[in-house]
Amino acid sequence: MSKYTLDYLDQLESEAIHILREVAGQFEKSVLLFSGGKDSVVLVHLALKAFRPGRLPFPLLHIDTGHNFPEVLAFRDSLVAHIGEQLIIRYVEDTIKIKKLTEPAGLFSSRNALQGNTLLDAIEEFGFDACIGGARRDEEKARAKERIFSVRDAFGQWNPKLQRPELWNTYNGKIHPGENVRVFPISNWTELDVWHYIQRENIELPALYFAHERAVMEHQGNLMAVPDAIPQNQSQTILKKTVRYRTVGDMTCTAAIESGATTVEAIIAELTAASTSERGNTRIDDTVSEAAMEDRKKNGYF
């Protein structure tokens, strides 16, 4: 008799597909948060494995800050057109105008924290009871606290001290009216797992992830993009560097790293030798305070 075995990527894939099917079975109106970044691209790939040849049982939702990398937005639209699924886009700019929010000022000030307001409005507008996200525990300490099914109260707030126990692969999706659940199917993956999976499954990504020459500006030791959205300081020096991005969030708070890695194989080799997490040396919004991510999550952030 042959012995059936799964390697570690098979096990991670199987767990994620199980979670996605649990969402479809337990919730009435779920949505997959999709930015075009590598983790959400992997999520879409897993969802297609979980539900094809049928349609996905949920739409995709992107909260657009207006400061996203154009290359990522083009990739997002191309992928959605290729798979033929519904994409909902809601804009932080609209939330700022409607709610008269104060936008952070200054060089490299970010709208990232304001995304939570737009997300909560979209949850209320469409009545979503589950939001599937690509956050992973290895990214950042607040995300390490999150359960796979993470309940938000009627105000969209997260309380890390009031989380439900999760026993093995049993997930409790029962919620009260007005509450919703954030679901993280790849929470147990590491950044390196994601890249090994991308390599195995031959998953296409935005070109920003691979080394390329780019105009950047140094800011607090970080290499920042030079888009039109960022007000340029006359004293700021524009540099040409060969860089790539480990994350591709809002360009006002996402730094590039110097790298010569132009292939998935080279990126895996680079990460194997890395001593910092992807957010640890690329996200200046996480350096606002020791608990910056946790504070954002308590107020409705992803």
Side-chain angles (χ1 to χ4, degrees):
M1 179 182 293
S2 62
K3 188 176 179 180
Y4 179 67
T5 59
L6 296 174
D7 72 10
Y8 84 101
L9 284 180
D10 292 329
Q11 292 179 30
L12 290 172
E13 178 189 73
S14 179
E15 178 190 58
I17 288 175
H18 168 70
I19 293 166
L20 287 165
R21 289 174 175 166
E22 280 291 301
V23 172
Q26 292 196 39
F27 296 94
E28 295 182 1
K29 198 159 188 181
S30 51
V31 67
L32 190 152
L33 305 176
F34 179 66
S35 65
K38 67 181 187 309
D39 300 309
S40 63
V41 172
V42 166
L43 267 188
V44 169
H45 183 83
L46 291 163
L48 295 174
K49 281 200 169 191
F51 301 109
R52 284 289 193 253
R55 297 291 303 274
L56 298 186
F58 36 69
L60 312 182
L61 170 65
H62 184 213
I63 304 300
D64 189 336
T65 65
H67 294 165
N68 295 106
F69 290 96
E71 300 96 319
V72 177
L73 296 183
F75 179 88
R76 176 201 69 188
D77 295 340
S78 173
L79 178 62
V80 170
H82 177 68
I83 64 175
E85 297 291 343
Q86 180 188 6
L87 173 66
I88 299 168
I89 304 172
R90 288 296 178 268
Y91 298 92
V92 174
E93 179 79 29
D94 292 340
T95 307
I96 291 172
K97 290 177 180 175
I98 293 169
K99 295 195 168 183
K100 298 182 173 25
L101 299 178
T102 300
E103 189 170 354
L107 188 65
F108 296 112
S109 58
S110 173
R111 290 176 170 177
N112 226 23
L114 301 181
Q115 283 182 295
N117 296 276
T118 310
L119 174 60
L120 295 181
D121 287 347
I123 290 171
E124 182 178 1
E125 177 185 354
F126 293 96
F128 294 129
D129 53 8
C131 300
I132 305 163
R136 309 187 319 272
R137 288 190 170 116
D138 78 318
E139 288 182 76
E140 196 276 338
K141 55 184 179 295
R143 288 186 164 170
K145 296 180 183 178
E146 289 262 28
R147 301 295 165 84
I148 301 289
F149 276 25
S150 193
V151 177
R152 290 338 192 234
D153 66 19
F155 301 100
Q157 297 176 326
W158 175 59
N159 187 343
K161 295 181 180 178
L162 293 177
Q163 299 194 87
R164 292 172 176 169
E166 288 185 338
L167 304 177
W168 301 284
N169 60 352
T170 302
Y171 305 107
N172 182 358
K174 187 173 182 179
I175 54 177
H176 297 102
E179 294 178 339
N180 67 85
V181 172
R182 306 291 171 83
V183 181
F184 305 107
I186 62 170
S187 185
N188 291 331
W189 299 39
T190 67
E191 183 185 14
L192 205 51
D193 293 334
V194 170
W195 279 103
H196 277 298
Y197 190 71
I198 287 167
Q199 180 186 44
R200 189 184 83 169
E201 301 290 308
N202 195 27
I203 297 173
E204 188 177 354
L205 292 178
L208 281 180
Y209 282 109
F210 302 94
H212 56 288
E213 189 177 75
R214 192 177 189 89
V216 293
M217 294 162 37
E218 281 196 7
H219 175 68
Q220 298 178 351
N222 297 299
L223 298 176
M224 307 302 296
V226 192
D228 294 337
I230 293 178
Q232 293 184 25
N233 187 320
Q234 294 296 323
S235 63
Q236 210 78 29
T237 303
I238 308 296
L239 307 169
K240 282 280 188 179
K241 297 272 190 181
T242 300
V243 299
R244 73 175 193 88
Y245 287 83
R246 289 176 72 177
T247 68
V248 294
D250 190 309
M251 67 171 69
T252 58
C253 62
T254 306
I257 60 168
E258 289 194 77
S259 170
T262 57
T263 65
V264 173
E265 291 75 16
I267 289 172
I268 289 172
E270 184 180 87
L271 292 178
T272 302
S275 59
T276 57
S277 72
E278 65 187 277
R279 297 191 73 94
N281 68 347
T282 65
R283 298 300 295 259
I284 61 176
D285 54 332
D286 288 347
T287 64
V288 173
S289 72
E290 184 67 22
M293 171 67 85
E294 185 161 324
D295 289 343
R296 293 202 302 273
K297 290 175 81 67
K298 286 178 179 176
N299 292 319
Y301 188 70
F302 306 98

